[in-house]
Structure formats: C-alpha cells, structure tokens
C-alpha cells in the first residue's frame, strides 16, 4: 500500500479551479518531484496537502488513514505527520534559529526539552549551521535561512517532507549548499515531495517525476524516462525548453 | 496684571501646590489606567474580530460596530453616557471609576485600529508557517504575530495616550478633581485666570512631554532593523 495516496484532489482559489483532479502516490522512502510551468499548480498541491489551501474534492490517504480536509481534527493530523518548507523560508522573524526549531516540538508535540534541544543541535549540524543557533533570521544569508527552514521542518520528525522550490529564491552560489542538505536527507531515506526547477538535481534524487500543467498531471514516470523520452507534446515542449542548457 | 503679580506668592502656597500635584496625579492615573485597560481590551476585540467561520459573523459585526460607533461619538458624550449608566446601575460608584471607564471605552475604539494595523503589517506567510506546524490561532498571535507587530503598534499607541492626557480635561465636566477642574475652582476663588490656567497648561505640558519623548525614542529604536532586533529582546516573553 502506498504511503501517501492522492486521489482526484481538487482545489479552488475563489471561483478559479487550480487543481483539477490530481492523483498520484508515493511509497515510504520515495522522492517524488513535481515539475511544470509557472502557475501549473505545483505549490497548490503541497499547500492543499498541508491544509493551507482548501481542498474541494477528492481523497488523500496517509499511511492508510483517510484525511478529511473539511475536518479540523483531520487537518491537524495531516500537519502532525507532514512538514513543509516554503520557497521564502518563512522563518519566524522574532525568534532565534534555536527557537524556530524548538517552538513546535516543545509547544505542540510536547516532547521533553532536553531531547528537543539536542535534536535541534544535531539538525543544525546536519545542515552545516551548528554555530548559528542564537542568530536571528535577518543575520543570515538566504541559503542559511533556507537550511534553517529545512532543519525546522525536520525537527518535527515528519513522515513526509514537502519542499516548495527551496532554491529558487537563492543566489546561484547558494543553491548548492541547500541542495546538498536535501541530498543528504534523500540518502537517509526521507520520504519527500519536492517542487523544483533544478532538473539535474531532480534527475539525481527523484524516484518519480510528476509533470503538471494547467492544474492537472500530464505525465509522470522515472526521471530518465520522462526527461529523455516524454510521451506527450506538452511535456516534450516543457523539457526541451528547460533542459536545453 | 498687577493683581496677578501680587497674587503669585499666595497662589503658589503649599496648599495650592499640593492640590495641583494631586490633580496632576489624578489626570495621569486616569489616562494611564484607562488607556492600559483599554489597550488590553482592544487586543481582545481585534482577536475576536478576526475569528474565522460563519458562526462568528455576528461577533465580527459587533466588534466592527463598536469601533465605528465609538469613533464617531464625542468624548464628552461618552463621559455623560457612562456617568448616567453607571449611576443607574451602582449609585455609589466613584467619579474616578466613571472617568476611567469612559477613557477605557474610548481608548478601545481608537487603539483597536492601531493594533489591527500592526497585526496586518506582519506577513501572512508567517501565520501560514505557524499554521502548518499546528500552532493554534491564539498561540500564533501571541508567539509569532504580536512580537513582530509591537514595533508598529507601540509608537502610535503611546502617541494616542499622550494626546489623550489633554483630552481628559473633559471629565472635569462631571466633577472629577483633575487638573482642569482644580483650575476652575482656583479661578472661582478669585485667582487670576491667566495665572491659574497658565499654570495648569504648564502642568499638562510637563505630564505629556516626557511621554512624547519616550514615544519618539521607541519609534526611532524600533524603526531600524537593529532596533527591531533589540525590541524583540525587550518585548520577548
Ligand atoms: N492566493 C491565491 N489567490 C488566487 N489565485 C492563486 C493564489 N495562489 C495561486 N493562485 C493561482 O493558482 C494557480 C496555481 O498556482 P501555484 O502557485 O500552485 O503554481 P506553481 O505551479 O507553484 O507556480 P510557480 O512555479 O510560479 O510557483 C495559478 O494560476 C495562480 O495564479
Ligand atoms: Mg509555486
């Protein structure tokens, strides 16, 4: 049975339907990459899974449990098991790096403080920021902030990690430090859904690539198969533009 | 003029000075207590006003109506309303209590908009990040939004309280022994109006000026990124 099964999920912004029936599934330890043109609904898929954009139809099952996004308790369950990293990091500006990492584990998960803090230090070490625990986000570069955001999501011990274009707000020289950190997680067997324009990276780490356009999944498959021999014109068109350089 | 100069030593007698000092203290106390309670209640009002969901619609309307109505009533009318209402309910309520309640009701309406502006200045994405971690609405406001909204809220809130110090003169109308009331009394005792109200004016200035300076200091301090970081440390709970 799939770890996460998304079936015919729909979402609207006002009257505009931005997800028109999305279905895919991932297994434990798998990495799925959502790719597609701007406005195709990639971020909305992740936001819908986190209950940040209202889901108007379809089914989501996580580890066999049905999630009902119209039910507050169910949304809490979804947020309890999945964590998201945003394109713009969204670190809490009024808190230190350490406080960002420990807030939810202490207040929401109610894990013991000593454990939470030592885990936070381990994660900061993992993303190469062991010395920044007491810094505020405006004292960090974009790449550093994004790595903190990654550590903050990991501190929640999510079953599935959702990454929304975690490198696209960064200067080119900072991209690799974040991709390296994500690569480490991939090697550790973290289950992830990533939205990315870094096709070389996607090819390297993803088990499955899902190509979206206009709020629908047009085609999906293994990275090599999809990138090198897409079956649909729309996918061929997109990859020929994006993979040229 | 000669009469006034001749009155000066008598006017600044220990007894009159004590009277004025007490009156100044009363003015300041009324304003501070009223504004502080009003400020606290305004937070509650803003929070209630942002309650999501259809069932909370009447609640949101009440909150909006409160602000819109009270902002359009002259303060002196609020004072009389409170006076007659409170006296109808508990006849032995002190005039000071009545004044504080009136100030408080008025301060809620004015500072609610200041607080709302501050809260809306915090990017929506900060709230989403908190929501995605299952923080409750109250936790999100207390831990994430308000600490970031402080630098935007505090300077105008202090400016409001400072300007309100002088508006409290209106409660002399119902007989609270604050500055303006004592001024009228001394004037009735035959002291020169220029002397009396000149002194009263100086008292109001001495009350508000230090507070204005504090407001300006905070505005500057909170304005720069470094200042904001320092402010965070000051305000962090
Ligand atoms: N808050 C919003 N209100 C209204 N429409 C929105 C909102 N956010 C996104 N949309 C619309 O939803 C559609 C899908 O947006 P989404 O952000 O999911 O696309 P995306 O694939 O992530 O694009 P990008 O690569 O630019 O991030 C777009 O047409 C967008 O204009
Ligand atoms: Mg997006």
């Amino acid at each position: 049975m799939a770890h996460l099964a998304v079936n015919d999920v729909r979402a609207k912004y006002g009257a505009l339907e931005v997800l028109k029936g999305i279905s895919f599934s991932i297994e434990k330890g798998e990495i799925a990459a959502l790719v597609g043109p701007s406005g195709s609904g990639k971020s909305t898929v992740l936001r819908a899974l986190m209950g940040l954009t209202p889901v108007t139809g379809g089914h989501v099952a996580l580890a066999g449990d049905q999630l009902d996004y119209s039910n507050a308790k169910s949304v809490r369950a979804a947020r309890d098991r999945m964590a998201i990293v945003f394109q713009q990091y969204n670190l809490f500006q009024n808190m230190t790096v350490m406080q960002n990492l420990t807030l939810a584990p202490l207040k929401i998960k109610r894990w013991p403080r000593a454990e939470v803090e030592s885990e936070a230090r381990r994660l900061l070490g993992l993303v190469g920021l062991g010395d920044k625990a007491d810094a505020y986000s405006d004292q960090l570069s974009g790449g550093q902030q994004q790595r903190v955001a990654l550590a903050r999501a990991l501190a929640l011990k999510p079953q599935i990690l959702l990454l929304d274009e975690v490198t696209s707000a960064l200067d080119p020289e900072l991209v690799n430090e974040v991709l390296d950190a994500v690569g480490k997680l991939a090697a550790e067997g973290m289950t992830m859904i990533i939205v990315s324009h870094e096709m070389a990276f996607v090819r390297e780490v993803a088990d499955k690539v899902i190509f979206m356009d206009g709020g629908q999944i047009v085609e999906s498959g293994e990275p090599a198969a999809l990138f090198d021999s897409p079956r649909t014109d729309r996918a061929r068109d997109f990859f020929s533009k994006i993979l040229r350089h | 003029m000669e009469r006034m100069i001749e009155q000066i030593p008598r006017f600044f007698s220990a007894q009159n000075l004590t009277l004025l000092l007490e009156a100044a203290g009363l003015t300041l106390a009324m304003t501070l207590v009223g504004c502080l309670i009003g400020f606290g209640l305004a937070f509650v009002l803003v929070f209630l006003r942002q309650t999501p969901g259809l069932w909370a619609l009447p609640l949101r309307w009440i909150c909006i109506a409160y602000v819109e109505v009270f902002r359009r009533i002259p303060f002196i009318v609020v004072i009389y309303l409170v006076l007659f209402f409170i006296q109808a309910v508990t006849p032995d309520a002190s005039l000071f209590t009545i004044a504080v309640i009136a100030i408080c009701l008025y301060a809620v309406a004015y500072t609610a908009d200041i607080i709302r502006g501050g809260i809306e200045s915090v990017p929506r994405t900060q709230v989403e990040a908190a929501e995605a971690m299952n923080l409750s609405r109250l936790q999100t406001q207390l831990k994430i939004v308000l600490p970031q909204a402080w630098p935007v809220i505090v300077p105008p809130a202090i400016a409001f309280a400072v300007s309100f110090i002088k508006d409290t003169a209106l409660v002399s109308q119902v007989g609270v022994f604050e500055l303006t009331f004592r001024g009228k009394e001394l004037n009735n005792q035959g002291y020169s109006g220029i002397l009396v109200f000149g002194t009263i004016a100086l008292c109001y200035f001495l009350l508000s000026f230090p507070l204005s300076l504090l407001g300006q200091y905070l505005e500057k301090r909170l304005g720069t990124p470094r200042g904001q970081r320092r402010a965070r440390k000051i305000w962090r709970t």
Side-chain angles (χ1 to χ4, degrees):
Chain A
M1 188 185 50
H3 192 47
L4 178 77
V6 175
N7 198 346
D8 197 32
V9 161
R10 292 164 188 276
K12 278 183 189 163
Y13 282 114
L16 179 72
E17 189 167 48
V18 287
L19 297 184
K20 301 167 183 164
I22 297 289
S23 306
F24 67 92
S25 64
I26 59 173
E27 305 294 331
K28 220 180 174 79
E30 259 190 347
I31 296 173
L34 294 176
V35 302
S38 181
S40 57
K42 307 178 298 290
S43 299
T44 309
V45 170
L46 301 190
R47 294 175 55 85
L49 286 173
M50 291 307 289
L52 293 172
T53 294
V55 175
T56 52
H59 301 279
V60 177
L62 179 55
D65 298 331
Q66 285 292 330
L67 296 177
D68 171 8
Y69 283 94
S70 61
N71 174 305
K73 215 173 135 198
S74 196
V75 171
R76 288 186 74 83
R79 291 171 177 172
D80 193 47
R81 298 181 189 183
M82 293 185 278
I84 186 167
V85 180
F86 299 94
Q87 184 173 358
Q88 295 292 344
Y89 350 120
N90 299 0
L91 293 182
F92 300 131
Q93 305 283 319
N94 57 313
M95 295 184 177
T96 63
V97 166
M98 194 58 167
Q99 290 169 328
N100 264 279
L101 262 69
T102 57
L103 175 69
L106 290 175
K107 297 277 167 199
I108 306 303
K109 307 268 187 182
R110 297 183 177 282
W111 293 331
R113 176 174 285 274
E115 211 172 277
V116 165
E117 284 179 352
S118 74
E119 175 65 4
R121 285 186 201 289
R122 186 187 74 83
L123 289 169
L124 285 178
L126 182 81
V127 297
L129 293 171
D131 55 337
K132 295 292 184 191
D134 296 321
Y136 284 90
S137 60
D138 58 356
Q139 297 165 315
L140 301 175
S141 73
Q144 290 173 328
Q145 289 187 58
Q146 193 58 287
R147 285 182 284 152
V148 172
L150 198 59
R152 179 175 72 172
L154 291 170
L156 298 163
K157 301 193 197 301
Q159 293 175 7
I160 303 180
L161 186 61
L162 312 179
L163 307 181
D164 191 0
E165 299 198 33
V166 289
T167 57
S168 64
L170 302 178
D171 291 336
E173 70 270 24
L174 300 178
V175 167
N176 282 333
E177 62 186 51
V178 173
L179 292 185
D180 287 347
V182 178
K184 265 194 218 172
L185 297 178
E188 284 181 5
M190 185 83 209
T191 311
M192 293 191 266
I193 305 177
I194 61 178
V195 173
S196 183
H197 289 298
E198 302 288 335
M199 292 303 158
F201 180 71
V202 167
R203 188 190 284 261
E204 190 186 315
V205 302
D207 298 293
K208 174 189 280 182
V209 179
I210 297 166
F211 172 68
M212 290 183 64
D213 194 10
Q216 288 171 314
I217 294 178
V218 177
E219 197 175 333
S220 65
E222 288 186 5
L226 195 63
F227 289 164
D228 301 335
S229 44
R231 287 175 317 238
T232 57
D233 289 343
R234 272 196 282 179
R236 193 173 305 122
D237 221 44
F238 177 74
F239 290 125
S240 73
K241 274 181 206 141
I242 205 164
L243 294 174
R244 191 177 299 151
H245 31 245
Chain B
M1 208 55 175
E2 274 154 43
R3 192 173 64 93
M4 187 188 102
I5 292 166
E6 164 253 306
Q7 278 180 350
I8 286 179
R10 199 151 45 87
F11 178 71
F12 289 108
S13 69
Q15 194 199 356
N16 280 357
L17 282 181
T18 321
L19 216 63
L20 284 178
L21 210 62
E22 271 173 18
L26 204 63
T27 293
L28 195 64
M30 265 182 341
T31 313
L32 288 186
V33 174
C35 284
L36 279 178
I37 298 174
F39 198 56
L41 290 177
F43 274 106
V44 177
L45 186 105
V46 171
F47 184 75
L48 292 179
R49 184 178 167 166
Q50 290 173 346
T51 311
L54 205 61
W55 63 271
L57 203 60
L59 187 67
R60 290 200 292 269
W61 278 342
I62 292 171
C63 295
I64 293 171
Y66 180 91
V67 172
E68 294 303 319
V69 169
F70 271 83
R71 291 189 64 151
R72 282 171 181 76
I73 305 176
F75 182 49
I76 183 74
V77 177
V78 176
I79 296 168
Y80 278 118
L81 273 175
V82 172
L83 175 73
F84 292 120
F85 185 81
I86 298 285
Q87 279 184 345
V89 183
T90 50
D92 47 347
S94 76
L95 285 174
F96 179 78
T97 311
I98 287 166
V100 166
I101 292 174
I103 292 170
C104 178
L105 289 178
Y106 210 61
V108 170
Y110 274 86
T111 50
D113 271 1
I114 295 175
I115 293 169
R116 193 164 58 93
I119 285 177
E120 281 170 4
S121 74
V122 178
R124 171 84 204 138
T125 50
Q126 291 280 305
V127 176
E128 279 185 347
E131 273 180 1
M133 292 178 181
N134 263 335
L135 262 69
S136 71
R137 208 164 70 83
L138 187 63
Q139 282 173 321
T140 306
Q141 290 296 320
L142 292 180
K143 299 245 167 240
I144 313 295
V145 177
L146 285 181
Q148 297 185 53
W150 275 125
V152 182
I153 292 174
V154 170
I158 289 185
F160 169 79
V162 169
S163 75
F164 211 67
I165 289 178
K166 58 187 184 336
D167 296 340
T168 57
L170 288 168
V171 306
S172 66
Q173 293 291 326
V174 297
V176 180
F177 300 149
E178 48 70 77
L179 273 175
T180 306
F181 185 89
R182 287 299 189 203
K184 281 191 272 189
E185 218 177 39
L186 289 168
N187 187 220
N188 287 342
Q189 285 171 18
Y191 290 109
S192 139
I194 298 177
L195 181 63
V196 172
F197 285 102
T199 310
I200 299 287
L202 184 68
C203 287
Y204 276 113
F205 176 79
L206 290 179
L207 283 183
S208 10
F209 194 60
L211 274 173
S212 303
L213 288 183
L214 175 70
Q216 280 169 17
Y217 171 81
L218 284 176
E219 187 147 20
K220 251 192 242 134
R221 263 286 158 256
L222 301 174
T224 63
R226 197 164 143 266
Q228 280 166 3
R229 203 152 55 230
R230 287 165 67 112
R232 262 175 235 141
K233 284 181 191 144
I234 297 166
W235 296 114
R236 204 169 50 217
T237 40

